Amino acid sequence: MCQLLGMNCNVPTDICFSFEGFCARGGKTDDHKDGWGIAFFEGLGCRVFLDDNPSSSSPVAAFIRQYPIKSMNVIAHIRKATIGPVKLENCHPFKRELWGRYWVFAHNGDLPTLPFDHQGIYRAVGQTDSEQAFCLMLNHIRQRFPDRKPPIQDLYLALREITAAIAPHGIFNYLLSDGEHCFAHCSTKLCYIVRQAPFAAAHLIDEDITVDFQELTTPSDRVAVIATTSLTDNEAWTPIQPGELLVFQDGLPLHLTP
């Protein structure tokens, strides 16, 4: 299956270190070689880079690894194709507009019994179950809240409801963001780490690279990194429990009532 990477921060931060290790899993240290993508939120804008080549050998990915784009919310994905052929339109993350904001979504897992809905405002362009799930989610919350983004507690409950309806169709690990909040749902495997003062050095699992974050940060910085499996071997990553939906804001998970 695919792998996910997300970042949510309280200050604009680059993801070069985490993305370096993540990219290696796309054909070098793992077999997720059927395309990749990454989305950076910058204010109301959103840069999305996609390629249907393996991330470990993609010139576009090499450019991103060396280009320190600073963002407070990032979602990345490396694909191992199961449903839908290896094509650019099937690369995650997917992007749509809702309430005058961009929304970005990436999924890990298979939803083989999920029906395709051709009636809603949001429709899939490609052939993946993942993009179809994203469209179903946006159609659901747009129907519930047609005019504007609701308070985060209300939006959280609506997303829990549609997630619970989609999850029985298979495996539904996902990351979803509008540039303000990042939602992380675990079906089988997802974890996160919050880096904040006092910062320390971190070493990648997939590449022999170490970064001392104390040299690159201020004491008030805070960064949450979410991944399918931990990216470093000298830090304590927190597993997200199966069936759990977390919301990250300013580098921390919010404590919302289910």
Side-chain angles (χ1 to χ4, degrees), residues 106-175:
H107 166 229
N108 162 32
D110 290 330
L111 301 165
T113 61
L114 185 69
F116 269 60
D117 178 11
H118 302 287
Q119 305 301 316
I121 292 174
Y122 298 101
R123 303 183 189 184
V125 174
Q127 300 80 43
T128 65
D129 51 338
S130 305
E131 188 182 14
Q132 174 61 16
F134 180 36
C135 292
L136 286 171
M137 295 170 73
L138 291 185
N139 283 327
H140 176 79
I141 60 176
R142 183 180 182 130
Q143 185 176 21
R144 288 278 298 271
F145 311 106
D147 299 323
R148 63 184 64 86
K149 184 178 179 179
I152 188 59
Q153 176 69 39
D154 296 340
L155 178 57
Y156 173 74
L157 293 176
L159 283 171
R160 275 183 58 90
E161 182 179 294
I162 187 59
T163 298
I166 294 173
H169 291 281
I171 297 174
F172 197 37
N173 305 295
Y174 72 73
L175 296 177

Side-chain angles (χ1 to χ4, degrees), residues 39-48 71 73 95 102 104 178-179:
F40 299 86
F41 284 94
E42 297 176 71
L44 291 177
C46 183
R47 304 192 202 203
V48 179
S71 173
N73 281 279
K95 183 176 77 168
Y102 288 119
V104 168
D178 68 338

Side-chain angles (χ1 to χ4, degrees), residues 80 84 125 195:
K80 184 177 180 180
V125 174
R195 296 189 179 115

Side-chain angles (χ1 to χ4, degrees), residues 15-31:
I15 199 172
C16 293
F17 174 71
S18 295
F19 191 62
E20 184 80 39
F22 188 66
C23 276
R25 298 178 179 182
K28 182 179 178 182
T29 61
D30 213 329
D31 59 354

Side-chain angles (χ1 to χ4, degrees), residues 100-255:
R101 302 184 68 94
Y102 288 119
W103 287 76
V104 168
F105 173 87
H107 166 229
N108 162 32
D110 290 330
L111 301 165
T113 61
L114 185 69
F116 269 60
D117 178 11
H118 302 287
Q119 305 301 316
I121 292 174
Y122 298 101
R123 303 183 189 184
V125 174
Q127 300 80 43
T128 65
D129 51 338
S130 305
E131 188 182 14
Q132 174 61 16
F134 180 36
C135 292
L136 286 171
M137 295 170 73
L138 291 185
N139 283 327
H140 176 79
I141 60 176
R142 183 180 182 130
Q143 185 176 21
R144 288 278 298 271
F145 311 106
D147 299 323
R148 63 184 64 86
K149 184 178 179 179
I152 188 59
Q153 176 69 39
D154 296 340
L155 178 57
Y156 173 74
L157 293 176
L159 283 171
R160 275 183 58 90
E161 182 179 294
I162 187 59
T163 298
I166 294 173
H169 291 281
I171 297 174
F172 197 37
N173 305 295
Y174 72 73
L175 296 177
L176 171 71
S177 180
D178 68 338
E180 181 180 12
H181 298 97
C182 181
F183 299 85
H185 178 258
C186 177
S187 179
T188 55
K189 186 182 292 186
L190 204 59
C191 60
Y192 72 94
I193 188 168
V194 174
R195 296 189 179 115
Q196 56 189 346
F199 290 95
H203 179 263
L204 290 174
I205 292 172
D206 298 271
E207 298 282 6
D208 188 16
I209 298 174
T210 299
V211 167
D212 187 351
F213 288 109
Q214 188 171 5
E215 298 178 355
L216 305 172
T217 56
T218 70
S220 60
D221 292 358
R222 187 169 58 242
V223 179
V225 179
I226 309 138
T228 299
T229 60
S230 57
L231 295 168
T232 56
D233 54 16
N234 64 334
E235 297 179 293
W237 290 69
T238 301
I240 302 176
Q241 298 304 307
E244 190 173 15
L245 175 64
L246 295 183
V247 186
F248 290 84
Q249 183 179 19
D250 296 329
L252 283 175
L254 301 178
H255 298 287

